[in-house]
Amino acid sequence: MAVRGEGCYIEDDGGYRLIDVNNNFTALIHGHAHPVVHDAAQCAMRDGMAFGLPNMLEIEHAQLMMDRLRYVDQIRYTNSGTEAVMLAVRVARTVTGRDGVIFVRKAYHGHSDIALVPGGANSRRGVPAGVVEDTVEVSINDIGELTAAFDRLDGKIAAVMIDPMPNRAGLVTVDPEFWQAARALCDRTGALLISDEVIGLRLAYAGAAMSMGVVPDLIVMGKIIGGGTPVGALAGRADVMAALDPLDGGLEHGGTYSGNPVTMAAGLAAMRLYDGAAVKRLNGLGERLRSTLTGIVTAHGWHVRGGGSLFRPYPGHLTPEETRAAHTTLWWAAYDRGVLMTQSCQGALSTPMTEAIVDDVAERIGDAVVATASSG
Ligand SMILES: Cc1ncc(COP(=O)(O)O)c(C=O)c1O
């Protein structure tokens, strides 16, 4: 049980203090209770928590995001990344008049019915067969498989959805060539390219797809843009986002708390602080951590995946089931050594971290990996 957090530290109900590299599943880009983010949220709260009218903070947040992501003209807020993905799929289907959606196998895009399909049989429980039939999965970075999917379902694909570094697919970076192939296939067939940057936005100032030289038709965001409060967003070109225009018979989309001023104020403060220099600094710390950790774990048959401010230690030559078990052992070993990771042992850095803290994290996790590897 978590009791409190401050900066890059979290304290559990036994009074045990850990360095937090879980950061609420990558959302807390500035760690816990950052004073500027906290004050912004508190200040907004004093003027009312939520209104049945749009509010000025929503406009300010949208303006900031559009200044940053120059290729988007409009943005729609939701309460979670899951909702934003649902909306992205519905917009793509409406704009194209088609139903098919291509995902990368094993990638996680939230827990709507369609988003659960690429997760495999276990994730699909309770998902109707019709939803599964509208979904195509391709292996990450397999351009041949992607091209074959378009050929096979000629004229039926509404969208390709790509997470730039899908954790559940192994925290592997999507290659620029794969992005470019997806862009070209979408252009040729009229399908939309959706970049799901609910996590990936932290990797690059103007978004991860853009950093690969590709402009998506729609971008899904969440996590860091809410400054630690619940959030999601869908943004895109005006002609695509026109499907949502309430003045022109737009699609049904609501959310009692979507765009609420507290989330918008916290998000604005967080995103202002996470400027180009902050992104560069945090990515540099990520590089440092991966390099130090790699130096410790390689001799024990493990390697380190990730990029930017994300990392994940991986055992070599194990089956997926053995890997899952090894990650569970590692999670506890890291906890025992004072580091909180995500359950899949993904780590995400936060801006309060320094080089000394990152080196300390690498040493502690390295030691946890060595203990895990020798436990068999
Ligand atoms: C790539 C991606 N898309 C969508 C989601 C869903 O976001 P949320 O948990 O805010 O519903 C997640 C959550 O981790 C995610 O990683």
Side-chain angles (χ1 to χ4, degrees), residues 257-270:
Y257 294 101
S258 295
N260 74 77
V262 182
T263 290
M264 295 292 104
L268 251 177

Side-chain angles (χ1 to χ4, degrees), residues 85-86 88-89 93 99-110 112-120 124 131-132 134-142 145-146 149-150 153 157 159-163 166 169 174 178 194 196 220:
V85 165
M86 283 162 59
V89 168
R93 285 174 163 168
D99 289 339
V101 181
I102 299 181
F103 292 100
V104 165
R105 188 166 292 115
K106 292 286 176 204
Y108 179 70
H109 298 277
S112 64
D113 279 358
I114 190 163
L116 288 172
V117 177
R124 286 180 196 173
V131 174
V132 178
D134 287 331
T135 309
V136 184
E137 297 154 58
V138 300
S139 301
I140 190 163
N141 293 329
D142 191 331
E145 211 179 337
L146 181 66
F150 269 94
L153 294 156
I157 304 293
V160 180
M161 184 169 303
I162 300 177
D163 172 342
V174 172
F178 188 80
I194 304 171
D196 180 353
V220 179

